[in-house]
Amino acid sequence: MRQPVHVLTGATGLLGAALALELATTTDSEIVCLVRPGQQPPGARLRTALAAAAEAYALAPELRERAVDRPLAVPADFTADACGVDARALPRAAEVEFWHLAGRLALPWRQRRQAFAGNLATTRRALALARAAGATAFTYVSTAHVAGAAEGPVPERLVTAARPRNPYEAGKIAAERLVGRQLDFRVRILRPGLLIGHSTTLAHPGRGGALAAVQRALAAHARRHPAGPGAADGTALHLLARPEAHLNLVPVDHVAREAAEIGRARGAGVFHLTNAAPPTTGEVLRALAANAGTTAAFVTGEEHLTEAERHLHRLLRAYVPYATTAQRFRRDRTDAVVADPARAAHPLGHDELRARFRPWARPCGR
């Protein structure tokens, strides 16, 4: 049986690059990446992103050149109909797997228009291109946090009672519903947790994601207030959080591997690509505070914060809901499809958490 052709959007992003490398090293398929022109031409931009990921993940030398050079870059404009791509220029095959990873992370509500344009509208254009290209399967990469403000276990099914906490979640929910209505593809919706760097090298080839932003803010606060105002002993930093809840941090290579396995298994429906053994919110924030040279104390209301701490929380307002909501993402459907469900557990101890985010505790991320 011939290998399917894989068409990817978002291949220059964190997960997109990891998935492109996974497909390039585990299959003989043609891999086509739709890339926005930037400061570099699309081909050079794609190669730069894949080379950085291969380096960060310590890809074996005998695999690196093949993985970086094999994917083909096709110029795309995600603001145009069908992503600005002539479907006739894409490879034809009996099986065409279309992977839509491109999107926009916009958390403040003032960016709601950009969030919808970057998620719902772009997904509609990607669907049109996939249809024109004769795709047999369409995979939409969403986020486990479409659960929004819901508490407790989160099942692997489309959201019915949406309570999004920011426009990013709202845009992803709307895009999921659009994809879920398609009848002429084998449709799958993948929901990763909070992506972190590689499982073994710990490296992250980008800016580190949401937790890196929190780490930078905590470190900057500690430098401005070295006494750590807020606690009776003069050292702890008060943070709004539920320390017993969980933050689903998941290594990017685990997500890429499971995504590829679900594709090979011809899975359809909703799948959570999450960490089966996530750390608690308290464990994560204690590690970030330690990197900043302080300790963390947890409170439930702003009345327990100093003025300096209130300023810090205003800077972090987009992230506070993730530290104050208790959710567990079920993996029943995913575990039934992937080759080794036990590999989904990646415990993150204090030392590893500190090591992962320590680079972003330094001034300017040095």
Side-chain angles (χ1 to χ4, degrees), residues 29 43 47 59 77 88 104 163 214 220 244 284 346:
S29 297
R47 195 181 190 286
L59 196 64
D77 176 1
R88 293 171 297 184
R104 181 181 176 90
R163 288 193 291 155
V214 175
E244 77 288 353
V284 174
H346 187 86

Side-chain angles (χ1 to χ4, degrees), residues 144-145 147-154 165 245-247 278 322 325-329:
H145 294 100
E151 297 259 345
V154 178
R165 295 167 293 187
H246 291 83
L247 279 177
Y322 295 92
T325 306
Q327 297 171 330
R328 293 302 295 262
F329 302 107

Side-chain angles (χ1 to χ4, degrees), residues 3-59:
Q3 297 265 10
V5 171
H6 295 278
V7 180
L8 282 69
T9 72
T12 58
L14 176 65
L15 180 54
L19 179 59
L21 292 178
E22 176 73 18
L23 294 172
T25 54
T26 61
T27 75
D28 293 321
S29 297
E30 286 187 80
I31 302 167
V32 180
C33 300
L34 308 184
V35 182
R36 298 181 183 93
Q39 292 182 336
Q40 296 177 302
R45 187 165 173 244
L46 176 64
R47 195 181 190 286
T48 297
L50 296 182
E55 177 74 19
Y57 308 154
L59 196 64

Side-chain angles (χ1 to χ4, degrees), residues 116-174:
F116 267 79
N119 292 298
L120 179 58
T122 300
T123 301
R124 185 176 290 113
R125 295 175 187 124
L127 283 163
L129 176 59
R131 188 167 288 111
T136 49
F138 188 94
T139 299
Y140 177 62
V141 177
S142 181
T143 171
H145 294 100
V146 292
E151 297 259 345
V154 178
E156 293 167 296
R157 61 170 181 254
L158 289 173
V159 175
T160 54
R163 288 193 291 155
R165 295 167 293 187
N166 53 59
Y168 173 69
E169 293 176 356
K172 288 289 189 179
I173 291 167

Side-chain angles (χ1 to χ4, degrees), residues 76-108:
D77 176 1
F78 296 107
T79 66
D81 290 345
C83 303
V85 176
D86 184 347
R88 293 171 297 184
L90 300 179
R92 292 280 175 169
E95 291 279 332
V96 176
E97 295 266 354
F98 198 106
W99 302 79
H100 181 43
L101 297 92
R104 181 181 176 90
L105 177 60
L107 297 181

Side-chain angles (χ1 to χ4, degrees), residues 195-260:
L195 294 173
I196 57 176
H198 194 271
S199 58
T200 54
T201 71
L202 313 188
H204 190 301
R207 287 181 52 79
L211 265 295
V214 175
Q215 177 69 92
R216 286 191 287 266
L218 295 187
H221 175 90
R223 287 192 293 272
R224 287 192 298 268
H225 306 280
D233 62 5
T235 61
L237 172 65
H238 284 159
L239 297 170
L240 289 172
R242 291 166 65 177
E244 77 288 353
H246 291 83
L247 279 177
N248 202 280
L249 276 57
V250 58
V252 63
D253 54 308
H254 282 213
V255 174
R257 184 192 69 247
E258 290 194 334

Side-chain angles (χ1 to χ4, degrees), residues 289-364:
N291 280 345
T294 186
T295 55
F298 304 109
V299 298
T300 57
E302 289 195 14
E303 67 273 14
H304 302 293
L305 304 178
T306 66
E307 185 55 40
E309 290 167 341
R310 289 193 186 96
H311 176 72
L312 171 66
H313 282 79
R314 285 194 291 271
L315 295 176
L316 295 175
R317 66 168 61 90
Y319 305 105
V320 169
Y322 295 92
T324 55
T325 306
Q327 297 171 330
R328 293 302 295 262
F329 302 107
R330 297 184 64 105
R331 287 179 45 99
D332 309 71
R333 302 188 73 255
T334 301
D335 288 345
V337 174
V338 298
D340 184 2
R343 293 181 69 185
H346 187 86
L348 292 156
H350 182 76
D351 290 342
E352 181 177 335
L353 285 167
R354 288 199 65 184
R356 284 182 174 278
F357 296 103
R358 189 174 290 117
W360 290 280
R362 302 165 188 149
C364 301

